[in-house]
């Protein structure tokens, strides 16, 4: 069982947001407040994929609005990427959690749960049709690039995929927040920004290519 039967045949962002709430493709819906669809415009040229919603996202129904979202905002700004022009989403649409001392804490989704949810991510990508995809963290990267992909080894390196002209992976912004020392956090933050800067460069390259293509087509006309 996976999400495929619940995905509209001809998806739009609005229909995906609506039908996602009825998804029963895996058991995660049972303990989540709601499904959390991606956020952004259909015209977004860069699409960022995280792992799954956190507690704040589960309650608000919006992706990347908690501490990791603020870290992502900082990284995008430092790299010269306009967050409002990006589409942000997650590989898994329901919050998987465990109770610890009265709090709902993140629990990593299984490979089976990620696979079950992939039709939603594929549909979002097909609607947005981005020039650049950025996978944030191992779960997102393996959902997009395959289970052999390793973020620790291959972050910041352009990856071939049929889903977009350009794609790379980097760490999840939550990984920066989990570092114990200020020095470790700053090191991981710098690496994160460096990877996002590569994404910004790929985005500029895609823009140049599109302009050249347009000019060529006009010349032929």
């Amino acid at each position: 069982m996976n999400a495929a039967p619940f995905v509209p045949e001809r998806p739009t962002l609005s229909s995906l947001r609506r039908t996602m709430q009825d998804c029963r493709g895996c058991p995660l819906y049972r303990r989540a407040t709601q499904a959390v669809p991606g956020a952004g415009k259909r015209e977004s040229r860069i699409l960022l994929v995280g792992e799954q919603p956190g507690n704040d996202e589960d309650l608000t129904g919006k992706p990347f609005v908690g501490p990791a979202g603020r870290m992502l905002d900082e990284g995008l700004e430092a790299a010269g990427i306009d967050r409002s022009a990006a589409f942000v989403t997650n590989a898994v649409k329901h919050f998987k959690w465990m109770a610890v001392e009265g709090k709902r804490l993140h629990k990593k989704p299984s490979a089976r749960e990620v696979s079950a949810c992939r039709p939603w991510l594929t549909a979002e990508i097909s609607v947005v049709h981005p020039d650049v995809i950025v996978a944030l963290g191992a779960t997102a990267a393996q959902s997009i690039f395959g289970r052999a992909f390793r973020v620790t080894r291959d972050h910041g390196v352009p990856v071939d995929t049929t889903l977009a002209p350009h794609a790379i992976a980097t760490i999840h912004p939550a990984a920066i927040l989990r570092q114990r020392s200020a020095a470790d956090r700053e090191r991981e933050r710098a690496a994160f920004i460096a990877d996002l800067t590569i994404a910004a460069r790929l985005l500029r390259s895609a823009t140049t290519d599109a302009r050249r293509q347009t000019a060529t087509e006009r010349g032929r006309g």
Side-chain angles (χ1 to χ4, degrees), residues 81-163:
I81 298 173
D82 182 2
R83 162 75 186 257
S84 67
F87 190 91
V88 292
T89 190
N90 284 295
V92 173
K93 308 305 186 185
H94 286 104
F95 180 32
K96 184 177 183 179
W97 56 276
M98 55 185 175
V100 178
E101 297 180 354
K103 296 181 179 180
R104 300 192 308 168
L105 299 184
H106 161 276
K107 186 175 182 181
K108 184 177 179 178
S110 68
R112 188 171 185 176
E113 290 160 345
V114 173
S115 178
C117 208
R118 197 172 190 277
W120 291 117
L121 176 60
T122 301
E124 288 177 326
I125 293 172
S126 71
V127 173
V128 176
H129 199 64
D131 291 324
V132 179
I133 293 176
V134 181
L136 304 170
T139 297
Q142 291 177 6
S143 175
I144 297 170
F145 307 132
R147 295 183 65 181
F149 190 92
R150 295 292 179 268
V151 172
T152 52
R153 179 189 64 203
D154 300 320
H155 69 91
V157 179
V159 183
D160 289 333
T161 174
T162 59
L163 296 173

Side-chain angles (χ1 to χ4, degrees), residues 63-84 88 173 189 192 196:
F64 286 96
V65 296
R70 291 189 287 274
M71 181 60 68
L72 175 61
D73 289 348
E74 292 177 9
L76 291 173
E77 182 178 4
I81 298 173
D82 182 2
R83 162 75 186 257
S84 67
V88 292
R189 180 178 179 275
F192 181 58
L196 291 179

